[in-house]
């Protein structure tokens, strides 16, 4: 019955709308989220100041779904991404890819710093830690050297996933970063990372292959803390399941001298 009054007034009404979507629409159009029309006097009223504005609101059919499209919101610019694919599997994969991309942009905005990708950071850290380990004369040298070797797992995994020769590409990458840290004239090599499409090394800063610095730092910290936690375990207690042998079996009877 309530929709009848909207139709007679020439207004578009939508029911069964998610609360999250209502709040997003209110923020975009400058409207106020009103959950009830009751006022302090116990009557129903509505203030025109609660209304939002948009250039166009209409219903559009996309594939098998009817969507309400709101264009030209006045308060805040807002956008929706509509994904279309051959089947649900493709659409779900596209959704995950778009979500990962938006999260990467969010991390960049939060940290305000980026680092070159393609194994560049890991290779540079590996070379630096190896050189630092050789300057120590204690057993710490072994731990730092092993940590430096573990840094190469990321570039090796990237190369293997791209079906390339990991030994050759990682060796070239290490050579570039060793030159950037030891030769002043080759400092620009510090931006060198992996180009897995062509199977070579390139300047990933110029290529635009960047990663949020916050994500890189957190991943290294969490991996290090996990390794430290495992190494702190110095004992292991095993609880064996009780034996379920039959006491009246032939083997037990012979062992106990009953036969």
């Amino acid at each position: 019955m309530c929709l009848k009054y909207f139709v007679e007034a020439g207004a578009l009404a939508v029911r069964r709308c998610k609360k999250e979507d209502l709040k997003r629409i209110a923020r975009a159009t400058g409207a106020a989220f009103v959950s009830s029309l009751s006022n302090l006097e116990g009557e129903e009223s509505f203030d025109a100041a609660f209304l939002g504005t948009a250039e166009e609101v209409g219903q559009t059919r996309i594939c098998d779904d009817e969507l309400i499209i709101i264009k030209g919101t006045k308060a805040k610019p807002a956008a929706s991404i509509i994904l279309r694919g051959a089947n649900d599997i493709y659409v779900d994969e596209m959704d995950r890819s778009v979500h990962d991309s938006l999260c990467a942009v969010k991390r960049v905005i939060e940290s305000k710093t980026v680092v070159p990708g393609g194994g560049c950071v890991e290779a540079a850290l590996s070379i630096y830690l190896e050189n630092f380990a050789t300057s120590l004369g204690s057993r710490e040298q072994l731990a730092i050297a092993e940590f430096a070797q573990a840094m190469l797992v990321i570039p090796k995994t990237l190369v293997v996933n791209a079906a390339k020769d990991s030994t050759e590409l990682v060796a070239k990458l290490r050579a570039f970063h060793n030159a950037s840290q030891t030769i002043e004239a080759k400092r620009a090599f510090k931006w060198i990372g992996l180009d897995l499409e062509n199977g070579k090394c390139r300047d990933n800063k110029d290529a635009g292959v960047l990663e949020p610095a916050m994500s890189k730092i957190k991943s290294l910290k969490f991996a290090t803390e996990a390794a430290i936690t495992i190494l702190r375990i110095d004992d292991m207690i095993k609880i064996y399941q009780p034996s379920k042998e039959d006491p009246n079996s032939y083997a037990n009877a012979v062992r106990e001298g009953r036969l």
Side-chain angles (χ1 to χ4, degrees):
M1 285 296 295
C2 59
L3 293 179
K4 174 178 178 295
Y5 297 104
F6 284 101
V7 173
E8 292 178 351
L12 176 65
V14 182
R15 61 179 181 177
R16 296 190 181 95
C17 186
K18 293 182 179 179
K19 196 171 185 179
E20 180 183 356
D21 294 339
L22 289 175
K23 291 181 178 180
R24 289 182 60 194
I25 295 171
R27 287 196 301 267
T29 59
F33 185 75
V34 179
S35 59
S36 175
L37 297 179
S38 300
N39 53 26
L40 297 177
E41 286 76 20
E43 300 176 355
E44 291 187 348
S45 62
F46 184 80
D47 190 353
F50 294 158
L51 293 173
T53 55
E55 294 180 359
E56 180 183 348
V57 179
Q59 183 174 352
T60 305
R61 184 177 183 84
I62 299 178
C63 295
D64 297 332
D65 299 323
E66 297 285 348
L67 303 181
I68 301 298
I69 306 296
I70 302 174
K71 299 180 180 179
T73 55
K74 298 296 183 181
K76 289 185 178 181
S80 299
I81 301 175
I82 300 175
L83 303 177
R84 303 179 67 176
N87 51 46
D88 292 340
I89 297 176
Y90 288 160
V91 174
D92 291 340
E93 187 64 29
M94 292 164 60
D95 178 48
R96 285 189 290 269
S97 300
V98 172
H99 180 268
D100 294 343
S101 302
L102 294 177
C103 288
V105 174
K106 177 184 176 184
R107 290 298 184 189
V108 172
I109 296 174
E110 289 177 352
S111 63
K112 297 183 176 60
T113 52
V114 294
V115 294
C120 176
V121 174
E122 290 80 7
L125 280 174
S126 176
I127 295 297
Y128 178 82
L129 291 175
E130 281 186 357
N131 295 333
F132 176 69
T134 56
S135 65
L136 301 177
S138 61
R139 288 187 295 180
E140 293 179 355
Q141 180 185 125
L142 300 177
I144 296 174
E146 288 297 325
F147 192 93
Q149 192 66 26
M151 287 287 101
L152 298 177
V153 172
I154 298 298
K156 285 181 180 178
T157 304
L158 293 174
V159 177
V160 170
N161 288 342
K164 305 292 183 182
D165 187 356
S166 62
T167 304
E168 181 180 358
L169 276 179
V170 174
K172 290 181 179 179
L173 184 63
R174 283 169 51 83
F176 278 116
H177 284 279
N178 181 66
S180 70
Q181 297 180 22
T182 56
I183 303 174
E184 187 67 28
K186 297 184 178 181
R187 285 288 186 183
F189 287 173
K190 64 181 180 180
W191 308 112
I192 297 296
L194 295 172
D195 179 8
L196 299 178
E197 292 183 354
N198 301 315
K200 61 180 183 180
C201 298
R202 68 178 177 187
D203 190 332
N204 277 346
K205 179 185 176 183
D206 293 340
V209 181
L210 304 171
E211 298 182 50
M214 179 188 294
S215 299
K216 183 66 67 176
I217 294 172
K218 284 186 176 181
S219 62
L220 292 175
K221 283 184 177 180
F222 291 160
T224 305
E225 291 173 0
I228 292 173
T229 302
I230 294 174
L231 292 174
R232 283 176 177 170
I233 300 174
D234 57 355
D235 196 5
M236 182 171 59
I237 300 175
K238 287 186 177 180
I239 301 178
Y240 294 96
Q241 294 291 336
S243 177
K244 295 183 180 180
E245 294 183 2
D246 185 5
N248 298 321
S249 64
Y250 178 78
N252 288 334
V254 172
R255 189 184 308 115
E256 295 174 0
R258 287 184 287 167
L259 290 178

